[in-house]
Amino acid sequence: MIVKLLSGDTPRSKILGAILLMILVALALAPFLFPGIRSVDTAARICVFILLVASYDLMLGYGGIVSFAHTMFFGMGAYGVALASTHMGRGYDALIVGAVAGAVLAAVVAFLIGLFSLRVRAIFFAMITLAVASAVAVLVSQLSGLTGGEDGLNYQIPRELTPAFKFGGEVMGVKLNGKLLNYYLVFGGSLILFLVLLRIVNSPFGRVLQAIRENDFRAESVGYRVVNYRTAATCISAAVAALAGSLYAIWLRYVGPDTVLSFEIMVDILLMVVIGGMGTMYGAVIGATVLVVAQNYLQELMEVASNSVEGVPLLPQLLDADRWLLWLGILFILSVYFFPTGVVGRLRAGK
Amino acid sequence: MSAAPKHAPTMAKMSFADKIGPWLPMLLVPAIMVLGLASIPSMSSWLTLTVSGLAMGMMIFIMASGMTLVFGLMDVINFGHGVFISVGAFVGVSVLMVLASMTEAPSLVLNLLAVLLAIIAAAIATGGLGWAFEKVIVKPVYGAHLKQILVTMGGLIVVEQLIVVLWGPEEIYILRPQALQGAITFAGAALEKYRLVAVAVGLVLFLGMRYVLRSTKIGLIVRAGVENGEMVEALGYRLRLVFVGVFVAGSALAGLGGVMWGLYQEVITAHMGQQMMILIFIVVIIGGLGSVEGCFIGALLVGLLQNYIAFIEPKAALISNIALMVAILMWRPQGMIPVVKAK
Amino acid sequence: DIKIAHVYGKTGPFEAYAKQSHDGLMLGLEYATGGTMEINGEKIVVIEKDTQLKPDNGKALLAEAYGDDEVDLAVGPVSSGVALAMLPVAEEYEKILIVEPAVADSITGENWNRYIFRTGRNSSQDAVANAIALGGENVKIATLAQDYAFGRDGVAAFKEALANTGAEIVSEEYVPTDTTDFTAAAERIFNAMKDVDGTKKLFVIWAGGGNPMSKIQAMDPSRFGIEMATGGNILAALAAYKQFPGMEGATYYFYENPKNEINDWLVKTHQERFGTPPDFFTAGGMAAGLAVVEAIKKAGGTDTEALITAMEGMEWDTPKGKMKFRAEDHQALQSMYHFKIKVEDGVDWAIPELVRELTIDDLPIPIRNGK
Amino acid sequence: MSRVILQTHDLTVRFGGHVAVDHVSCAFKTGELTAIVGPNGAGKTTYFNLISGQIPISEGRVELNGRDITRASVSQRCDLGIGRAFQLTNLFPNLTVLENVRLVIQQRAKLGFSFFSMADSHSEITDRALSVLDKVKLFSLKDQAVSALSHGNQRKLEVAMLIALDPAVYMFDEPTAGMSVDEAPVVLDLIAELKAEKDRTILLVEHKMDVIRTLADRIIVLHNGALAADGDPAEVMASDVVQEAYMGKELTDV
Amino acid sequence: MSDPILKLEGVYTDIAQYHILQGVDLEVPRGGVTMLLGRNGVGKTTTLRTVMGHWRAKTGKVLLDGQDITTLPTPQIARAGVGFVPENMGIFSDLTVEENMILAAVSGPIDPARLEWVFSAFPPLKTFWKGHAGNLSGGQKQMLSIARAMVEERRLYLIDEPTKGLAPAIISTMARALRELKEQGASILLVEQNFSVAKALGDSCVVMDDGRVVWSGEMAELATDAGLQERLMGLSMEAHQ
Ligand SMILES: Nc1ncnc2c1ncn2[C@@H]1O[C@H](COP(=O)(O)OP(=O)(O)OP(=O)(O)O)[C@@H](O)[C@H]1O
Ligand SMILES: Nc1ncnc2c1ncn2[C@@H]1O[C@H](COP(=O)(O)OP(=O)(O)OP(=O)(O)O)[C@@H](O)[C@H]1O
Ligand SMILES: [Mg+2]
Ligand SMILES: [Mg+2]
C-alpha cells in the first residue's frame, strides 16, 4: 500500500527512509510539535517549497531541462489567487478560480516557450527562460495598477482560513483556529501533489524523460518526439509550480515580486534540488527542508555562536548574525563538495 | 557500371548566402548605426548616442571579456564573475584613494598612471582570488553546469560578504581623476572623456586577447580539454595548469572591468558586479560561446541599441537587451560567431 | 517589561541604512529615558528581527513578534515593499506598528489601517518640499525618475505641489531602474529644453544605486542653460554632490541643519560612539524611539487602544524639531530643509547648507487614506 | 514476393560546397539485403542519415512504401518503419542495458505518454526486452550501466536496440566494427536470421569483405558521394572501380 | 633481445568496485610491433589506459624504458615519448582537423615534411584540413586519430583498434605507415581484432583473457597454429577467410 502510494519508488536507503519519515511526521504534526507562529510558518514554507522543488526536479532532474523561469510559474499561481481574491472578493470560489487560472496560464505559457525554444541547445533554453522571466517581472512591476507593482498585493481569504476564525478551544495548548486549517490545507495539498509527481516520474513517461536527458538524439531516433516530451514535462512542471504558488498565496495572504518572482527564489530552488539530489524527487524534500530551516534559523544560531566567542579578534565579526549570508554561502559550497550527487544520492550509494 | 572513380571529393559552387554568412555579424554594427541615423531626427543627438553607445559597448566588453574566456572556452559558468568585478572595483578604488594626490592633480599623465596602478592592483587581487576560487570551488565541478552555478553562487555570496566585512556596508562614492572628468563637445555632441579611456582600453584588450588566442595553443588546449580532457593530457599537456591559468586570467580581466566600471559609475557597492551579470551573459551568449570577436560585436550592439531605443522609445528600453538576445538566438541559435558548440 | 520589536532589513543591499536606523532607535530610547532604558520603572527590551528585505519574512517575523514574543509594539522596516506586506499583520494582531523609515505614500495612504503610525517622511513630504525649494515664476523643470511606481508617484506628487509655485514641468523622463547609461535620457531632455525660455532645471528623483546626476552633468547641461537639482541624501552619497556647488533642493536631514538640544546631543553622542556624524536614518530612528517613549508615557501603559488615543495628534520633540502625528492618517508631520550645496576642502561630502527650514506649516501634505 | 519498399530519387546533400551525397537514386526491395560499400568518406553514413532523417536533404526525395517522406522528422520516419543502428556507438550511457532496450520497445508499444501507470508494471515489455538481450548474448549484463560496458559489448547493444525496434527497414552501419572474431558471428547470425524472415529490408554498411560475400544479395558502391556501381555481389566486387578505389592492394602485398 | 621498452609487472587495475586487470605481465620489445589480442571485454583497453595513467594500477608496476611511470601524471607519460590512439578515437570535434593536428604536435610547429608523410597515408585529412573534425566520416576520424599520434616522433605507440571502420584500401596504407614508424625505430603496442592485419603486422604477440595475459610469444607462431588460435580466442578458420 505504502509502496503503491510511493509509486514503487521507495527511498532505497534505511537512513534516507528514516529521515523522510521524520520530516513527514514533523510536518504533519508541526502545529502541535512546534507551536509558535514562526515555526508553523516555517513548516508551511517547507511544504510549499518541497512541492515547488519537486516540480522543478521533474523538469531538471528527469528531463534535463534547465529553466530559470520556474519562479515565474510559481508567481502565476500566487498572483492568480491574489488577483482573484482581490477582484472577486474573499471566498473559496476566488481561491479555486485563481489557482486553476494560474495553473492553466502557467501551462500555456510553458507550452509556448517550449514550442519556441526547446529545440535549441540547453544553455540557450535556459537563457530564454531567464529572459522571459525577467520580462514578466518587469511587466508585473509596470502594471502596478493591477498587480500592486513592487509593493505587491494584500488581500483577504475566507474567514475559516484565518486566525480570526476559532473553533473549539485548545488541543495540547494549540489554539484551534483558521490558521491551523490553513496549514493543513497547505500540507495536504502539497502532499497529494507530491505523490502525483512521484507517480509521473515512475511512469513510462518519466522513463522517456530520463532517456531524453541522457541522449536526446538517440531518443529521437528510436521514435520519441523529443520536443513533445520536453514540452509536456515543462507544462506539467509549470502547472504544479503554479499550484504551489497558489498554496503559498493562500498561506501568506500577500504576494509581491520579491516573494514569488525574484531571481533569489530561483536560486534557492536550484540549490534545494542539487543539495537534495537531482532526479530523485526525495531530494526535493530534503533540500527544501534543510534550506528553509537554515534560512530561518541560521541567524539565531550565529547570534549564539557570536556571543560565545566574544573577545576573540575577527571571529565575532565573521560570526555576527548579520553575516549569516556568509555562512549560508559556505554551506552552499560545502554541500556541493560533500554531496556531489546530493544528500539522497549519497545516502543511497552508501546504503 | 559507371565512370571510373576520381579521388577528390565533389565540390559544388557555394551559394552567395553561404559565402556571406560568416561575415554578417560584422555588418550588424554598421547596419544598426545606419538604422539609428534613419530614425533619429537630430544629427547631433545621433552622434552623441552613437559615440557614447559604442564606448559603453567597450566597457561592457571589458567586463564580459573574462566571462568569454571562462564560460566560452572553459565551459564554466561562473556566477561569481560579478563579484570579481566588485572586488576589482573596491581594490582599485582603494588604491585610487591612496593615490589621491595623483588623481586630483590636473595632469592627464599622472591621472592615467594612477588608474593604471589601480588596475594592476585590482587585477592582481582578483587574479589571486580567482586562483583560490578555482582550487577550492570550481575544480570539483568541471563539466557540471548546474553545480557550477551553485558553487559559484555560494562563492559569490561569501566574497560579497567579505567585501562588507572589509570595507563596510556603505556604498563608496568616488570622483574620477581630474583630467577624466567632464566631457568634450564637438559638433553639438557631448562625449564623456572617460569613455574615451574605455574605448582605448577595450580596443587594446580586444586585440590582445585575439592575439593570444590565435598565436598560442592555449585556446585550443582549453577547448579541446573541455571536450576530452583525458585526451589532451594524453597528448602531453598539463591541462590543470592551463585551466587554472585561464581562470585566473578571466578573473583578472573581471578585476580590470571592475575598476573601469567603478570609475564610470562613481559609486561602488558589493552588488555592483552582480547587477551587470545578466547583461554580461547576454553579450557572451549572443556573441557565440568562446568567441572574442562575437563578444566584442555583441557588446557594441548592446551599447548602441540601448542608447537608440532609450532615445526613441524609453518604454521599450526595459526589454531591449532581452529582445536583442531572443532575436539573435532565433536567427543563430548558437550565437553570432560560435567557436564552441553549446551544450 | 516593555517589549519592542525592531523588524527591519538588517542584511541585504540596505544594510547601511538598517544600521543607522537601529542606532537611531536605540539612541532615541536612551535619550527619552535619560539613559535608564526604563519607563515608569519598567525595562525596555528591544528585539531585533531581520527581514532580509523579503516581504514574506517581514510578515512572518512581525507576526512572530506580536504573537510569540508578545511585544507591545513594533518599529520598522526599511523597505516600502516589506512595510506594505506587514501592515495587515498589525491589524490582525491589533498592535501598533511604527513605520520607519519606509517612505511609500500608500503606507499612510490607501493601505493604511488604524494601527499604523509613521515617524518617517513620506514621498509627498519630499516632493512638496522640493517643489517649494525649486519652484518659482518662470521656472521650467524637467524630471528624471525611475520607471516604476515609486518614481512615477514621486513625480506626480512633485508636479501637484509645483502647481502652486508658478513653475512648469516641460518634460518627464522615466528610465528603467537598472539603467547605467543615461545618455539617451539626457539627450531627450536636452532636446526638449533646448528652445524653452526661463530658468531651466532638471530635477532627478532617484532611489538606490546608479548615479544619474554626475553622468548627466558630465554631458554639460549648462550648454543649454540647464541646472541640475535633486533632493538630499545620506552622507556617503553627498560626496557625489561635490560636482554641483550651488545646487538647490530640499532634504530630510543633515546633521548641521536643525538647531535644537536633541540634535546637539545626537551629533555629539554619535560622534563619540561611532566616530561619525549621524545621518538620515539615524535621525529617523531616533525620532521613532522618542515617539515610543513619549506615547507610552502619555498613555500610561502599553494598551493598544490607549496608545492609539495618545498618539493621534501627539506632538513630540525630535532631532528634527517638533513632530506631530496627524490624527487622520497617523503620518508624522515634520520639517524639511531647503538647502544649497557648498563645497569645502577637507570635508568628505558636499555640504547642503541651510537656506530655509520648511516647517510643518509650510508643507501642505495631502491626506491620502480616504479619511 | 518482393516489392520496392524504400526508394531514393536523386538524393543529394551539400555541406558548404562539399557534395557528400550526389544524386543517388536507388530502390530497395523487401526481403533483400543490400550491402553498401565504399571508401571512407564516400557518403555511406550520410546516405543513411538522409534516409533516416538525421540531416536535412538538399535535393531529391525519399519514398517509403510509395509515400514521400522527405519532409518527415526522424521520429516520424521511425514510426513509419525506418530503423537504424549507428556507426559510432550512441546509447543512453547512464541507464542500464535493460532499460536501454526497454525504452525502445516501450516506444513501439506507444506507451510514452502514459503518465500514471507504473513503468515497471508493464511486464510484457520487460519480457520482450530480455528476450532481445538474450539473442545478442547480453542477458547476463542486463543490470550494468551502459557506460561500464566494453566497446564490443556496446556495439552489440547498439544492434540489440535496432532489433528491439523491429522496423520494416533495418539499417546497420558497420555493426561488427571493433567486435572480436568470436563475437562478430553472433551479430552476423542475427542479421542472417532477420534476412531469412523474408519481409525485412536490410541495408548494411560493411568494410569486411568476407561478411559481404556471405550475406549480401546485392551490393551498391558509393564513391565521392555518387553511386558508382550497383549489382550482383560477385560481379561488383570484381569490378575495377571496387578493386582500385576501395580494396587497394591486398594487405599481403604491403 | 635487448631490454623491453615497456614492461608491466603484475598490474592489477580496478574500475570502481570491479577488478578488471588481475595481474597483467607484459613486455613490449624495443623496435617491434607487439599485438595485444583477445576477446571483447577482457581488458585490452584497460591495459593501455593503465599505461597512459588514465586508470591507475592498484598494485604492480609499469616501466617505460626501465623508468617507473606507474604513478606519473598522464602528461608526463606522454612527454616521455608515448603516443596514444584511444579506442574511442578521442577526436576534438569542435576543433578543425588542422587544430587537432596542431595540438598533437606538442613540441612546436608541425614539421611539414612529416605532415606530408602523414597525408600520404591518409589523403582525406588533407582534403578536409580546415573542416571541423566532428563532421568527418567514421573512418576519417579514425585516420585523424592515428595521424595525431604519428605527427611527431615517439618512442612508443599505444594504438587501440585502429582499423575499425577503415576501408581495406586505407588499412593497407595505414599498415604501411606503421611499418615505416617501426623502421624509424619506434615500438608499437597494437590492439587489433582483425586477425589478418595482426598477422601481417605483428612481430610478437600477447593474448589476454579475463584480465590476465594468457599467452605471449612470436606472432608467426600464433599465426600458423590454428589450434592455438582456437583455444585462445575462439577463432576458427571458417569464420575468417
Ligand atoms: N555534418 C557534416 N558537415 C560537413 N561535412 C560532413 C558532414 N557529415 C559528413 N560530412 C562529410 O561527408 C563525407 C561523407 O561522410 P560519411 O560519414 O557519409 O562517410 P562514410 O561513407 O560513412 O565513411 P566511413 O566509412 O569512414 O564511415 C565525409 O567526407 C565527411 O567529411
Ligand atoms: N568505466 C567502467 N566501469 C566499470 N567497468 C568497466 C568500465 N570500463 C570498462 N569496464 C569493464 O572492464 C572490462 C574490460 O574492458 P576493456 O574495455 O578493457 O575491454 P577490451 O578488452 O578493450 O574489450 P573490447 O575489445 O570490447 O574493446 C569489461 O568487462 C568492461 O565491462
Ligand atoms: Mg560511415
Ligand atoms: Mg577495447
Side-chain angles (χ1 to χ4, degrees), chain A residues 7-8 196 199-200 202-205 207-208 211 214-215 217-225 228-229 232 236, chain D residues 54 74-76 78-79 86 90-94 99 103 106-107 111-120 158:
Chain A
S7 308
V196 169
R199 173 50 69 93
I200 290 177
N202 285 295
S203 70
F205 175 74
R207 295 292 159 87
V208 181
E214 291 281 305
N215 188 345
F217 178 80
R218 185 59 196 247
E220 184 85 34
S221 64
V222 297
Y224 291 114
R225 297 196 188 12
N228 295 5
Y229 283 90
I236 296 174
Chain D
Q54 248 86 28
V74 175
S75 51
Q76 279 166 341
C78 180
D79 279 351
F86 289 86
N90 192 347
L91 304 159
F92 303 114
N94 294 319
E99 199 57 49
L103 274 162
Q106 174 185 302
Q107 126 70 18
L111 274 175
F113 273 111
S114 161
F115 293 110
F116 298 111
S117 65
M118 258 143 75
D120 297 332
E158 186 74 50

Side-chain angles (χ1 to χ4, degrees), chain D residues 15 18 20 40-46 87 207, chain E residues 128 135 137-140:
Chain D
F15 299 116
H18 174 204
N40 293 118
K44 304 179 294 293
T45 302
T46 308
Q87 176 176 13
H207 285 306
Chain E
F128 295 105
N135 290 342
S137 82
Q140 290 164 345

Side-chain angles (χ1 to χ4, degrees), chain E residues 36 82 159 183 222:
Chain E
L36 180 57
V82 183
I159 306 182
E183 278 153 25
L222 184 64

Side-chain angles (χ1 to χ4, degrees), chain D:
Chain D
M1 182 213 79
S2 69
R3 59 189 170 86
V4 170
I5 175 165
L6 176 72
Q7 212 169 355
T8 65
H9 301 278
D10 282 334
L11 203 56
T12 304
V13 73
R14 282 180 288 269
F15 299 116
H18 174 204
V19 190
V21 172
D22 193 359
H23 296 91
V24 175
S25 301
C26 208
F28 303 95
K29 295 196 206 115
T30 51
E32 187 181 63
L33 190 150
T34 311
I36 303 176
V37 301
N40 293 118
K44 304 179 294 293
T45 302
T46 308
Y47 187 50
F48 271 16
N49 283 338
L50 293 175
I51 294 175
S52 66
Q54 248 86 28
I55 49 178
I57 293 168
S58 305
E59 239 177 73
R61 278 182 302 126
V62 183
E63 267 175 29
L64 184 72
N65 283 324
R67 177 174 159 190
D68 190 341
I69 56 164
T70 314
R71 304 257 159 271
S73 73
V74 175
S75 51
Q76 279 166 341
R77 293 185 203 202
C78 180
D79 279 351
L80 292 171
I82 292 182
R84 72 176 290 195
F86 289 86
Q87 176 176 13
L88 302 178
T89 320
N90 192 347
L91 304 159
F92 303 114
N94 294 319
L95 304 183
T96 63
V97 171
L98 175 61
E99 199 57 49
N100 268 265
V101 179
R102 268 177 47 94
L103 274 162
V104 178
I105 298 171
Q106 174 185 302
Q107 126 70 18
R108 259 328 208 202
K110 295 281 165 242
L111 274 175
F113 273 111
S114 161
F115 293 110
F116 298 111
S117 65
M118 258 143 75
D120 297 332
S121 64
H122 298 280
S123 55
E124 72 288 353
I125 288 179
T126 313
D127 292 346
R128 272 224 54 201
L130 289 174
S131 80
V132 172
L133 286 179
D134 196 34
K135 271 194 199 163
V136 295
K137 305 227 160 75
L138 280 176
F139 191 90
S140 60
L141 295 174
K142 66 180 168 30
D143 293 323
Q144 284 252 9
V146 168
S147 56
L149 291 186
S150 77
H151 179 78
N153 285 331
Q154 293 195 5
R155 299 293 312 153
K156 281 204 279 186
L157 182 56
E158 186 74 50
V159 172
M161 287 176 69
L162 179 52
I163 290 175
L165 192 61
D166 190 26
V169 179
Y170 284 73
M171 300 197 288
F172 291 100
D173 200 347
E174 301 191 32
T176 64
M179 239 177 249
S180 63
V181 244
D182 66 321
E183 301 274 1
V186 174
V187 169
L188 296 176
D189 288 349
L190 268 174
I191 296 178
E193 207 177 289
L194 285 173
K195 185 182 144 184
E197 286 175 33
K198 288 297 177 207
D199 56 342
R200 307 296 209 291
T201 308
I202 301 172
L203 276 57
L204 173 69
V205 172
E206 237 330 326
H207 285 306
K208 292 181 186 152
M209 283 308 126
D210 46 336
V211 171
I212 294 172
R213 275 190 208 111
T214 44
L215 281 178
D217 299 320
R218 166 190 176 200
I219 292 187
I220 61 176
V221 181
L222 287 184
H223 188 75
N224 288 333
L227 191 63
D230 179 353
D232 176 68
E235 205 174 301
V236 172
M237 297 293 285
S239 72
D240 291 349
V241 200
V242 174
Q243 285 300 326
E244 194 184 313
Y246 183 59
M247 299 298 292
K249 283 171 275 170
E250 272 298 316
L251 196 57
T252 40
D253 311 342
V254 182

Side-chain angles (χ1 to χ4, degrees), chain A residues 295-326:
Chain A
Q295 282 176 338
N296 279 283
Y297 293 104
L298 193 59
Q299 234 173 341
E300 267 101 63
L301 199 72
M302 287 177 55
E303 190 97 56
V304 179
S306 166
N307 290 339
S308 65
V309 292
E310 217 159 345
V312 186
L314 199 68
L315 252 187
Q317 229 159 312
L318 290 176
L319 283 173
D320 189 315
D322 292 354
R323 295 282 78 76
W324 72 281
L325 269 171
L326 178 75

